[in-house]
Amino acid sequence: MQQEWGRLAMIYTRILEYPNQQLDRYFNSFKELAGSRPLSELRTAEEAAAAAAAAAALSEASVQANEGEVHPDGTEQFPKPVSAGLTEAEELQKYIAIREEMYKKAKEFDSKIIGFETAIRRPYFHVRPLNVAELENWHSYLDFMEREGDFNKVVKLYERCLIACANYPEYWMRYVLCMEASGMLDLANNALARASQVFVKRQPEIHLFAARFKEQIGDIPGSQAAYQLVHTEISPGLIEAIIKHANMEYRLGNLEDAYSLYEQAIAIERGKEHSQTLPMLYAQYSRFVYMVSGNEEKAREILVQALEHVQLSKPLLEALIHFESIQSLPKRINYLDSLVVKFIVPDLESPNVAGPADREELSCIFLEFLNVFGDAQSIKKAEDRHAKLFLPHQSTSELKKRHAEDFLASDKAKIARSYSVPSPAQSLTGAYPSAQSQWTAGYGLQHQAWPAVTQGPVQQWAPGNTQQQAAYGAYSGYGSSYANPQMVASAPPTAAYGAYPTTYPAQQAFPQQSYAQPTAVVAALLQQPASVPQAYYGSYY
């Protein structure tokens, strides 16, 4: 409307640089504009000045080349006339060709990203969580763009992603790491500040990531401040924050400060009426002391002190058994046996809050310990006790299971007549983990559990309700290992004293559920073999 043809041509040029859904229409409109207006009106002042300077440089270079020529016949040669430049039509053709090349590159790039773009259903921010497919699409899109190597496009895509995914710490962490790897530390710090101070400031994982990141770039005071923020405001008593902070102080040579962190956290938790994290703190503190200083007496003293201040629990007894297993002979078998009996044997006067599964698992851990270090009498005593307490319940469960399977087998003919059964159908038992207990390294018996059924995508950004995202390279370590400090769970032990319980409660995985059609379910039930009772000792020895 203002007849600013040069500015209009510049807008078309900028549009043709990037893929978009209407790229063909914009290119055709640009060609119509270029064919209807003279080139002098389409060029901006800067483009006209640049074209004049290029023409002058070309003319001067031609004159110098003619003057420097040597002719063998010795005759004087006059300078050849230099053209003032290309003709108007040639200039216009060149002007359009440059933009056509930009258009072709944009079209080629558009064919590569069209799949990612169409999978983005919510490009705007909303408090409702995104579904898993869209979150994975953003990760895949970012992977592709980083492989392309165009830094400007990478930054733009991250900024687009963080509009829709502002509540997900993992994308902020990835952005920070990508900018750091590209040498753009200012952009990395800017993204980290926006995440930790505005968008996900109430989530502890971003502050733990900030503490580790600042330590790596040499900002030790900033790292310590990030840990302190978690201890005091974000998530007081978070075991992972205490452990990581203490480990950093040890790396810096501040061993006493590391001890002080554990002792302060233990003192705070002891002031609570029913602290579920206190046993784990004692176990981790003892493990830390033994690993960094080799002080066996102090490590044992911490565990003994724990028995005086907390109720017997599986993490604490497991730590005691593992600690005793790495000490020199003789082992304190009778002492451990008395503690295990108090934990696993029901007492009406002082009921144990531990569930049957935890008691049985600890009994199995102690059995494995005795199998290595005990004598025949102590092994027999523990085996008889375990069989009396836990095997009857297992037998009843197996009997009910067999009874149900026999009922299904007896009605096979009726079901076959009622349904059209495809063959062969997959057994339902293959879709679930085996119910047989499995031994792992060390002494821990890990019971397998039925996978939890979810009714929809589990949001990761909300506190206390997290999900495991698809593994993503260097970023999988963030955002998936943080749990509420009040949730304590035992984890598989590892070798030597590293077999103590893990540093923080393990996150529960939520496998994707598949729902079979009724016909397939019936077929699968018909395919199930009869249950065979499994010997107790066969699974342990």
Side-chain angles (χ1 to χ4, degrees), residues 188-233:
N189 286 324
N190 176 270
L192 186 58
R194 289 156 59 196
S196 60
Q197 297 175 19
V198 181
F199 292 100
V200 286
K201 62 181 180 181
R202 303 305 304 173
Q203 300 193 36
E205 53 264 44
I206 194 65
H207 297 283
L208 295 180
F209 171 79
R212 181 62 59 85
F213 179 78
K214 290 179 180 180
E215 180 192 358
Q216 292 170 352
I217 63 175
D219 184 7
I220 302 302
S223 178
Q224 293 172 330
Y227 281 124
Q228 287 296 336
L229 185 63
V230 177
H231 299 327
T232 57
E233 296 183 20

mmCIF file of all heavy atoms in Angstrom, residues 188-233:
data_model
loop_
_atom_site.group_PDB
_atom_site.id
_atom_site.type_symbol
_atom_site.label_atom_id
_atom_site.label_comp_id
_atom_site.label_asym_id
_atom_site.label_seq_id
_atom_site.Cartn_x
_atom_site.Cartn_y
_atom_site.Cartn_z
ATOM 1 N N ALA A 188 24.667 -20.444 27.520
ATOM 2 C CA ALA A 188 24.423 -21.534 28.467
ATOM 3 C C ALA A 188 24.025 -20.989 29.832
ATOM 4 O O ALA A 188 23.055 -21.456 30.444
ATOM 5 C CB ALA A 188 25.662 -22.422 28.570
ATOM 6 N N ASN A 189 24.758 -20.009 30.324
ATOM 7 C CA ASN A 189 24.434 -19.417 31.622
ATOM 8 C C ASN A 189 23.084 -18.697 31.595
ATOM 9 O O ASN A 189 22.340 -18.716 32.576
ATOM 10 C CB ASN A 189 25.535 -18.446 32.044
ATOM 11 C CG ASN A 189 26.781 -19.157 32.505
ATOM 12 O OD1 ASN A 189 26.706 -20.208 33.138
ATOM 13 N ND2 ASN A 189 27.951 -18.603 32.196
ATOM 14 N N ASN A 190 22.775 -18.081 30.465
ATOM 15 C CA ASN A 190 21.490 -17.401 30.341
ATOM 16 C C ASN A 190 20.340 -18.403 30.420
ATOM 17 O O ASN A 190 19.342 -18.170 31.126
ATOM 18 C CB ASN A 190 21.437 -16.641 29.019
ATOM 19 C CG ASN A 190 20.082 -15.990 28.778
ATOM 20 O OD1 ASN A 190 19.191 -16.586 28.184
ATOM 21 N ND2 ASN A 190 19.929 -14.756 29.230
ATOM 22 N N ALA A 191 20.455 -19.521 29.703
ATOM 23 C CA ALA A 191 19.404 -20.538 29.739
ATOM 24 C C ALA A 191 19.285 -21.146 31.130
ATOM 25 O O ALA A 191 18.172 -21.389 31.627
ATOM 26 C CB ALA A 191 19.699 -21.628 28.703
ATOM 27 N N LEU A 192 20.422 -21.385 31.781
ATOM 28 C CA LEU A 192 20.388 -21.968 33.123
ATOM 29 C C LEU A 192 19.737 -21.013 34.119
ATOM 30 O O LEU A 192 18.964 -21.440 34.999
ATOM 31 C CB LEU A 192 21.809 -22.311 33.570
ATOM 32 C CG LEU A 192 21.942 -23.052 34.896
ATOM 33 C CD1 LEU A 192 21.178 -24.370 34.865
ATOM 34 C CD2 LEU A 192 23.411 -23.304 35.216
ATOM 35 N N ALA A 193 19.997 -19.730 33.999
ATOM 36 C CA ALA A 193 19.383 -18.755 34.891
ATOM 37 C C ALA A 193 17.878 -18.682 34.669
ATOM 38 O O ALA A 193 17.091 -18.613 35.631
ATOM 39 C CB ALA A 193 20.022 -17.382 34.677
ATOM 40 N N ARG A 194 17.446 -18.705 33.438
ATOM 41 C CA ARG A 194 16.005 -18.674 33.156
ATOM 42 C C ARG A 194 15.301 -19.894 33.724
ATOM 43 O O ARG A 194 14.186 -19.795 34.259
ATOM 44 C CB ARG A 194 15.779 -18.601 31.650
ATOM 45 C CG ARG A 194 16.154 -17.249 31.051
ATOM 46 C CD ARG A 194 16.483 -17.365 29.570
ATOM 47 N NE ARG A 194 15.379 -17.904 28.791
ATOM 48 C CZ ARG A 194 15.497 -18.388 27.555
ATOM 49 N NH1 ARG A 194 16.690 -18.391 26.969
ATOM 50 N NH2 ARG A 194 14.461 -18.853 26.916
ATOM 51 N N ALA A 195 15.965 -21.050 33.626
ATOM 52 C CA ALA A 195 15.351 -22.278 34.132
ATOM 53 C C ALA A 195 15.284 -22.287 35.652
ATOM 54 O O ALA A 195 14.233 -22.563 36.240
ATOM 55 C CB ALA A 195 16.131 -23.487 33.627
ATOM 56 N N SER A 196 16.408 -21.989 36.302
ATOM 57 C CA SER A 196 16.503 -22.132 37.761
ATOM 58 C C SER A 196 15.879 -20.974 38.522
ATOM 59 O O SER A 196 15.603 -21.107 39.713
ATOM 60 C CB SER A 196 17.970 -22.284 38.171
ATOM 61 O OG SER A 196 18.728 -21.157 37.769
ATOM 62 N N GLN A 197 15.644 -19.862 37.862
ATOM 63 C CA GLN A 197 15.086 -18.701 38.554
ATOM 64 C C GLN A 197 13.647 -18.385 38.158
ATOM 65 O O GLN A 197 12.981 -17.628 38.861
ATOM 66 C CB GLN A 197 15.958 -17.471 38.280
ATOM 67 C CG GLN A 197 17.377 -17.590 38.806
ATOM 68 C CD GLN A 197 18.246 -16.414 38.416
ATOM 69 O OE1 GLN A 197 17.746 -15.349 38.058
ATOM 70 N NE2 GLN A 197 19.566 -16.597 38.465
ATOM 71 N N VAL A 198 13.176 -18.969 37.040
ATOM 72 C CA VAL A 198 11.836 -18.619 36.572
ATOM 73 C C VAL A 198 10.983 -19.851 36.313
ATOM 74 O O VAL A 198 9.982 -20.102 36.993
ATOM 75 C CB VAL A 198 11.909 -17.751 35.293
ATOM 76 C CG1 VAL A 198 10.504 -17.375 34.826
ATOM 77 C CG2 VAL A 198 12.750 -16.509 35.531
ATOM 78 N N PHE A 199 11.360 -20.641 35.342
ATOM 79 C CA PHE A 199 10.436 -21.625 34.785
ATOM 80 C C PHE A 199 10.309 -22.905 35.612
ATOM 81 O O PHE A 199 9.198 -23.403 35.796
ATOM 82 C CB PHE A 199 10.837 -21.958 33.340
ATOM 83 C CG PHE A 199 10.644 -20.816 32.394
ATOM 84 C CD1 PHE A 199 11.712 -20.027 32.007
ATOM 85 C CD2 PHE A 199 9.381 -20.502 31.916
ATOM 86 C CE1 PHE A 199 11.526 -18.959 31.143
ATOM 87 C CE2 PHE A 199 9.189 -19.434 31.050
ATOM 88 C CZ PHE A 199 10.266 -18.663 30.675
ATOM 89 N N VAL A 200 11.412 -23.480 36.061
ATOM 90 C CA VAL A 200 11.346 -24.728 36.845
ATOM 91 C C VAL A 200 12.086 -24.542 38.169
ATOM 92 O O VAL A 200 12.774 -25.438 38.646
ATOM 93 C CB VAL A 200 11.927 -25.916 36.052
ATOM 94 C CG1 VAL A 200 10.982 -26.357 34.967
ATOM 95 C CG2 VAL A 200 13.282 -25.568 35.450
ATOM 96 N N LYS A 201 11.919 -23.390 38.771
ATOM 97 C CA LYS A 201 12.702 -23.037 39.956
ATOM 98 C C LYS A 201 12.321 -23.843 41.187
ATOM 99 O O LYS A 201 13.084 -23.883 42.154
ATOM 100 C CB LYS A 201 12.547 -21.551 40.253
ATOM 101 C CG LYS A 201 11.114 -21.121 40.578
ATOM 102 C CD LYS A 201 11.045 -19.624 40.824
ATOM 103 C CE LYS A 201 9.627 -19.178 41.159
ATOM 104 N NZ LYS A 201 9.565 -17.720 41.379
ATOM 105 N N ARG A 202 11.162 -24.518 41.205
ATOM 106 C CA ARG A 202 10.759 -25.308 42.353
ATOM 107 C C ARG A 202 11.103 -26.780 42.200
ATOM 108 O O ARG A 202 10.753 -27.581 43.063
ATOM 109 C CB ARG A 202 9.244 -25.187 42.577
ATOM 110 C CG ARG A 202 8.731 -23.782 42.775
ATOM 111 C CD ARG A 202 9.454 -23.059 43.901
ATOM 112 N NE ARG A 202 9.400 -23.767 45.173
ATOM 113 C CZ ARG A 202 10.059 -23.418 46.256
ATOM 114 N NH1 ARG A 202 10.851 -22.354 46.216
ATOM 115 N NH2 ARG A 202 9.951 -24.112 47.365
ATOM 116 N N GLN A 203 11.788 -27.144 41.143
ATOM 117 C CA GLN A 203 12.140 -28.542 40.926
ATOM 118 C C GLN A 203 13.600 -28.762 41.276
ATOM 119 O O GLN A 203 14.494 -28.101 40.727
ATOM 120 C CB GLN A 203 11.866 -28.937 39.478
ATOM 121 C CG GLN A 203 10.388 -28.762 39.101
ATOM 122 C CD GLN A 203 10.043 -29.431 37.799
ATOM 123 O OE1 GLN A 203 10.569 -30.481 37.477
ATOM 124 N NE2 GLN A 203 9.136 -28.826 37.045
ATOM 125 N N PRO A 204 13.898 -29.700 42.197
ATOM 126 C CA PRO A 204 15.275 -29.846 42.690
ATOM 127 C C PRO A 204 16.272 -30.280 41.632
ATOM 128 O O PRO A 204 17.452 -29.932 41.702
ATOM 129 C CB PRO A 204 15.141 -30.903 43.798
ATOM 130 C CG PRO A 204 13.876 -31.626 43.508
ATOM 131 C CD PRO A 204 12.968 -30.626 42.870
ATOM 132 N N GLU A 205 15.820 -31.020 40.622
ATOM 133 C CA GLU A 205 16.787 -31.534 39.652
ATOM 134 C C GLU A 205 17.502 -30.428 38.887
ATOM 135 O O GLU A 205 18.673 -30.581 38.531
ATOM 136 C CB GLU A 205 16.123 -32.521 38.678
ATOM 137 C CG GLU A 205 14.887 -31.994 37.991
ATOM 138 C CD GLU A 205 13.625 -32.420 38.693
ATOM 139 O OE1 GLU A 205 13.576 -32.348 39.931
ATOM 140 O OE2 GLU A 205 12.672 -32.812 37.994
ATOM 141 N N ILE A 206 16.815 -29.317 38.619
ATOM 142 C CA ILE A 206 17.481 -28.246 37.883
ATOM 143 C C ILE A 206 18.549 -27.594 38.740
ATOM 144 O O ILE A 206 19.606 -27.168 38.244
ATOM 145 C CB ILE A 206 16.449 -27.207 37.380
ATOM 146 C CG1 ILE A 206 17.096 -26.275 36.330
ATOM 147 C CG2 ILE A 206 15.887 -26.387 38.526
ATOM 148 C CD1 ILE A 206 17.504 -26.976 35.067
ATOM 149 N N HIS A 207 18.341 -27.526 40.044
ATOM 150 C CA HIS A 207 19.340 -26.923 40.937
ATOM 151 C C HIS A 207 20.527 -27.868 41.141
ATOM 152 O O HIS A 207 21.669 -27.408 41.236
ATOM 153 C CB HIS A 207 18.697 -26.553 42.262
ATOM 154 C CG HIS A 207 17.621 -25.517 42.133
ATOM 155 N ND1 HIS A 207 17.901 -24.179 41.962
ATOM 156 C CD2 HIS A 207 16.263 -25.629 42.119
ATOM 157 C CE1 HIS A 207 16.761 -23.500 41.867
ATOM 158 N NE2 HIS A 207 15.759 -24.360 41.958
ATOM 159 N N LEU A 208 20.261 -29.176 41.198
ATOM 160 C CA LEU A 208 21.375 -30.124 41.274
ATOM 161 C C LEU A 208 22.196 -30.095 39.992
ATOM 162 O O LEU A 208 23.427 -30.177 40.014
ATOM 163 C CB LEU A 208 20.843 -31.535 41.525
ATOM 164 C CG LEU A 208 20.140 -31.751 42.870
ATOM 165 C CD1 LEU A 208 19.657 -33.187 42.979
ATOM 166 C CD2 LEU A 208 21.062 -31.413 44.024
ATOM 167 N N PHE A 209 21.509 -29.957 38.867
ATOM 168 C CA PHE A 209 22.225 -29.823 37.593
ATOM 169 C C PHE A 209 23.031 -28.530 37.565
ATOM 170 O O PHE A 209 24.187 -28.509 37.112
ATOM 171 C CB PHE A 209 21.224 -29.842 36.440
ATOM 172 C CG PHE A 209 21.824 -29.505 35.108
ATOM 173 C CD1 PHE A 209 22.538 -30.443 34.385
ATOM 174 C CD2 PHE A 209 21.699 -28.227 34.576
ATOM 175 C CE1 PHE A 209 23.104 -30.120 33.160
ATOM 176 C CE2 PHE A 209 22.255 -27.895 33.355
ATOM 177 C CZ PHE A 209 22.950 -28.856 32.647
ATOM 178 N N ALA A 210 22.444 -27.439 38.060
ATOM 179 C CA ALA A 210 23.155 -26.160 38.079
ATOM 180 C C ALA A 210 24.397 -26.249 38.967
ATOM 181 O O ALA A 210 25.456 -25.705 38.622
ATOM 182 C CB ALA A 210 22.223 -25.053 38.576
ATOM 183 N N ALA A 211 24.269 -26.934 40.097
ATOM 184 C CA ALA A 211 25.426 -27.078 40.985
ATOM 185 C C ALA A 211 26.554 -27.849 40.304
ATOM 186 O O ALA A 211 27.727 -27.447 40.361
ATOM 187 C CB ALA A 211 25.005 -27.790 42.268
ATOM 188 N N ARG A 212 26.216 -28.940 39.642
ATOM 189 C CA ARG A 212 27.245 -29.716 38.950
ATOM 190 C C ARG A 212 27.843 -28.927 37.783
ATOM 191 O O ARG A 212 29.061 -28.947 37.560
ATOM 192 C CB ARG A 212 26.643 -31.032 38.450
ATOM 193 C CG ARG A 212 27.623 -31.949 37.738
ATOM 194 C CD ARG A 212 28.753 -32.403 38.651
ATOM 195 N NE ARG A 212 28.237 -33.108 39.798
ATOM 196 C CZ ARG A 212 27.954 -34.414 39.808
ATOM 197 N NH1 ARG A 212 28.119 -35.140 38.726
ATOM 198 N NH2 ARG A 212 27.508 -34.993 40.895
ATOM 199 N N PHE A 213 27.003 -28.234 37.033
ATOM 200 C CA PHE A 213 27.479 -27.458 35.894
ATOM 201 C C PHE A 213 28.423 -26.349 36.346
ATOM 202 O O PHE A 213 29.488 -26.131 35.749
ATOM 203 C CB PHE A 213 26.285 -26.882 35.133
ATOM 204 C CG PHE A 213 26.656 -26.043 33.951
ATOM 205 C CD1 PHE A 213 27.052 -26.630 32.760
ATOM 206 C CD2 PHE A 213 26.620 -24.656 34.031
ATOM 207 C CE1 PHE A 213 27.398 -25.850 31.662
ATOM 208 C CE2 PHE A 213 26.969 -23.877 32.942
ATOM 209 C CZ PHE A 213 27.352 -24.482 31.756
ATOM 210 N N LYS A 214 28.044 -25.641 37.408
ATOM 211 C CA LYS A 214 28.895 -24.549 37.884
ATOM 212 C C LYS A 214 30.213 -25.068 38.448
ATOM 213 O O LYS A 214 31.261 -24.412 38.312
ATOM 214 C CB LYS A 214 28.136 -23.744 38.936
ATOM 215 C CG LYS A 214 26.982 -22.940 38.331
ATOM 216 C CD LYS A 214 26.206 -22.163 39.381
ATOM 217 C CE LYS A 214 25.066 -21.384 38.736
ATOM 218 N NZ LYS A 214 24.277 -20.618 39.718
ATOM 219 N N GLU A 215 30.189 -26.225 39.057
ATOM 220 C CA GLU A 215 31.448 -26.811 39.527
ATOM 221 C C GLU A 215 32.364 -27.123 38.339
ATOM 222 O O GLU A 215 33.576 -26.890 38.391
ATOM 223 C CB GLU A 215 31.167 -28.090 40.315
ATOM 224 C CG GLU A 215 32.437 -28.759 40.831
ATOM 225 C CD GLU A 215 32.197 -30.158 41.345
ATOM 226 O OE1 GLU A 215 31.031 -30.612 41.335
ATOM 227 O OE2 GLU A 215 33.177 -30.823 41.746
ATOM 228 N N GLN A 216 31.793 -27.628 37.276
ATOM 229 C CA GLN A 216 32.599 -28.000 36.115
ATOM 230 C C GLN A 216 33.208 -26.794 35.414
ATOM 231 O O GLN A 216 34.284 -26.902 34.816
ATOM 232 C CB GLN A 216 31.739 -28.814 35.139
ATOM 233 C CG GLN A 216 31.355 -30.187 35.672
ATOM 234 C CD GLN A 216 30.316 -30.874 34.813
ATOM 235 O OE1 GLN A 216 29.759 -30.283 33.883
ATOM 236 N NE2 GLN A 216 30.039 -32.133 35.115
ATOM 237 N N ILE A 217 32.538 -25.650 35.468
ATOM 238 C CA ILE A 217 33.095 -24.459 34.814
ATOM 239 C C ILE A 217 33.925 -23.621 35.786
ATOM 240 O O ILE A 217 34.361 -22.531 35.445
ATOM 241 C CB ILE A 217 31.984 -23.597 34.183
ATOM 242 C CG1 ILE A 217 31.030 -23.057 35.246
ATOM 243 C CG2 ILE A 217 31.233 -24.404 33.127
ATOM 244 C CD1 ILE A 217 29.974 -22.109 34.696
ATOM 245 N N GLY A 218 34.096 -24.130 37.024
ATOM 246 C CA GLY A 218 34.967 -23.457 37.979
ATOM 247 C C GLY A 218 34.290 -22.476 38.905
ATOM 248 O O GLY A 218 34.956 -21.790 39.677
ATOM 249 N N ASP A 219 32.961 -22.410 38.870
ATOM 250 C CA ASP A 219 32.237 -21.492 39.755
ATOM 251 C C ASP A 219 31.859 -22.247 41.032
ATOM 252 O O ASP A 219 30.703 -22.642 41.228
ATOM 253 C CB ASP A 219 30.998 -20.959 39.037
ATOM 254 C CG ASP A 219 30.243 -19.920 39.874
ATOM 255 O OD1 ASP A 219 30.760 -19.531 40.933
ATOM 256 O OD2 ASP A 219 29.136 -19.520 39.449
ATOM 257 N N ILE A 220 32.837 -22.443 41.936
ATOM 258 C CA ILE A 220 32.602 -23.216 43.150
ATOM 259 C C ILE A 220 31.607 -22.519 44.085
ATOM 260 O O ILE A 220 30.686 -23.160 44.604
ATOM 261 C CB ILE A 220 33.928 -23.501 43.873
ATOM 262 C CG1 ILE A 220 34.882 -24.263 42.938
ATOM 263 C CG2 ILE A 220 33.689 -24.304 45.142
ATOM 264 C CD1 ILE A 220 34.328 -25.566 42.412
ATOM 265 N N PRO A 221 31.735 -21.207 44.344
ATOM 266 C CA PRO A 221 30.722 -20.558 45.193
ATOM 267 C C PRO A 221 29.308 -20.685 44.642
ATOM 268 O O PRO A 221 28.353 -20.888 45.389
ATOM 269 C CB PRO A 221 31.180 -19.100 45.225
ATOM 270 C CG PRO A 221 32.655 -19.155 44.975
ATOM 271 C CD PRO A 221 32.838 -20.276 44.009
ATOM 272 N N GLY A 222 29.162 -20.576 43.318
ATOM 273 C CA GLY A 222 27.840 -20.741 42.717
ATOM 274 C C GLY A 222 27.305 -22.144 42.898
ATOM 275 O O GLY A 222 26.110 -22.345 43.133
ATOM 276 N N SER A 223 28.190 -23.141 42.801
ATOM 277 C CA SER A 223 27.779 -24.527 43.004
ATOM 278 C C SER A 223 27.334 -24.760 44.436
ATOM 279 O O SER A 223 26.293 -25.374 44.695
ATOM 280 C CB SER A 223 28.931 -25.465 42.645
ATOM 281 O OG SER A 223 28.577 -26.813 42.871
ATOM 282 N N GLN A 224 28.092 -24.268 45.398
ATOM 283 C CA GLN A 224 27.719 -24.429 46.805
ATOM 284 C C GLN A 224 26.406 -23.721 47.112
ATOM 285 O O GLN A 224 25.579 -24.225 47.876
ATOM 286 C CB GLN A 224 28.847 -23.889 47.695
ATOM 287 C CG GLN A 224 30.124 -24.711 47.616
ATOM 288 C CD GLN A 224 31.287 -24.060 48.333
ATOM 289 O OE1 GLN A 224 31.363 -22.833 48.423
ATOM 290 N NE2 GLN A 224 32.207 -24.866 48.841
ATOM 291 N N ALA A 225 26.196 -22.568 46.507
ATOM 292 C CA ALA A 225 24.942 -21.837 46.723
ATOM 293 C C ALA A 225 23.752 -22.617 46.173
ATOM 294 O O ALA A 225 22.664 -22.619 46.775
ATOM 295 C CB ALA A 225 25.022 -20.463 46.065
ATOM 296 N N ALA A 226 23.936 -23.279 45.036
ATOM 297 C CA ALA A 226 22.846 -24.072 44.463
ATOM 298 C C ALA A 226 22.482 -25.236 45.381
ATOM 299 O O ALA A 226 21.291 -25.537 45.591
ATOM 300 C CB ALA A 226 23.241 -24.582 43.083
ATOM 301 N N TYR A 227 23.500 -25.904 45.941
ATOM 302 C CA TYR A 227 23.217 -26.995 46.881
ATOM 303 C C TYR A 227 22.508 -26.474 48.123
ATOM 304 O O TYR A 227 21.549 -27.085 48.617
ATOM 305 C CB TYR A 227 24.505 -27.700 47.279
ATOM 306 C CG TYR A 227 25.025 -28.677 46.252
ATOM 307 C CD1 TYR A 227 26.321 -28.558 45.736
ATOM 308 C CD2 TYR A 227 24.240 -29.728 45.804
ATOM 309 C CE1 TYR A 227 26.804 -29.456 44.798
ATOM 310 C CE2 TYR A 227 24.713 -30.631 44.863
ATOM 311 C CZ TYR A 227 25.999 -30.494 44.368
ATOM 312 O OH TYR A 227 26.467 -31.381 43.441
ATOM 313 N N GLN A 228 22.966 -25.358 48.658
ATOM 314 C CA GLN A 228 22.355 -24.804 49.858
ATOM 315 C C GLN A 228 20.897 -24.423 49.610
ATOM 316 O O GLN A 228 20.043 -24.548 50.501
ATOM 317 C CB GLN A 228 23.141 -23.586 50.339
ATOM 318 C CG GLN A 228 24.487 -23.911 50.967
ATOM 319 C CD GLN A 228 24.339 -24.735 52.239
ATOM 320 O OE1 GLN A 228 23.311 -24.716 52.903
ATOM 321 N NE2 GLN A 228 25.388 -25.477 52.576
ATOM 322 N N LEU A 229 20.597 -23.955 48.410
ATOM 323 C CA LEU A 229 19.220 -23.607 48.081
ATOM 324 C C LEU A 229 18.321 -24.834 48.151
ATOM 325 O O LEU A 229 17.180 -24.771 48.632
ATOM 326 C CB LEU A 229 19.163 -22.979 46.687
ATOM 327 C CG LEU A 229 17.794 -22.452 46.231
ATOM 328 C CD1 LEU A 229 17.330 -21.315 47.132
ATOM 329 C CD2 LEU A 229 17.853 -22.002 44.777
ATOM 330 N N VAL A 230 18.834 -25.971 47.678
ATOM 331 C CA VAL A 230 18.061 -27.211 47.760
ATOM 332 C C VAL A 230 17.883 -27.618 49.219
ATOM 333 O O VAL A 230 16.792 -28.015 49.642
ATOM 334 C CB VAL A 230 18.748 -28.336 46.960
ATOM 335 C CG1 VAL A 230 17.976 -29.645 47.112
ATOM 336 C CG2 VAL A 230 18.842 -27.967 45.486
ATOM 337 N N HIS A 231 18.964 -27.524 50.024
ATOM 338 C CA HIS A 231 18.893 -27.943 51.420
ATOM 339 C C HIS A 231 17.901 -27.106 52.226
ATOM 340 O O HIS A 231 17.212 -27.632 53.104
ATOM 341 C CB HIS A 231 20.274 -27.831 52.084
ATOM 342 C CG HIS A 231 21.323 -28.688 51.447
ATOM 343 N ND1 HIS A 231 21.048 -29.909 50.874
ATOM 344 C CD2 HIS A 231 22.672 -28.504 51.298
ATOM 345 C CE1 HIS A 231 22.170 -30.437 50.394
ATOM 346 N NE2 HIS A 231 23.155 -29.607 50.640
ATOM 347 N N THR A 232 17.831 -25.832 51.940
ATOM 348 C CA THR A 232 17.073 -24.924 52.806
ATOM 349 C C THR A 232 15.677 -24.610 52.299
ATOM 350 O O THR A 232 14.761 -24.403 53.097
ATOM 351 C CB THR A 232 17.839 -23.601 52.988
ATOM 352 O OG1 THR A 232 18.085 -23.015 51.689
ATOM 353 C CG2 THR A 232 19.176 -23.843 53.673
ATOM 354 N N GLU A 233 15.478 -24.561 50.966
ATOM 355 C CA GLU A 233 14.197 -24.091 50.443
ATOM 356 C C GLU A 233 13.504 -25.088 49.510
ATOM 357 O O GLU A 233 12.319 -25.351 49.666
ATOM 358 C CB GLU A 233 14.386 -22.768 49.683
ATOM 359 C CG GLU A 233 14.861 -21.605 50.550
ATOM 360 C CD GLU A 233 14.961 -20.315 49.756
ATOM 361 O OE1 GLU A 233 14.319 -20.224 48.683
ATOM 362 O OE2 GLU A 233 15.689 -19.404 50.194
#
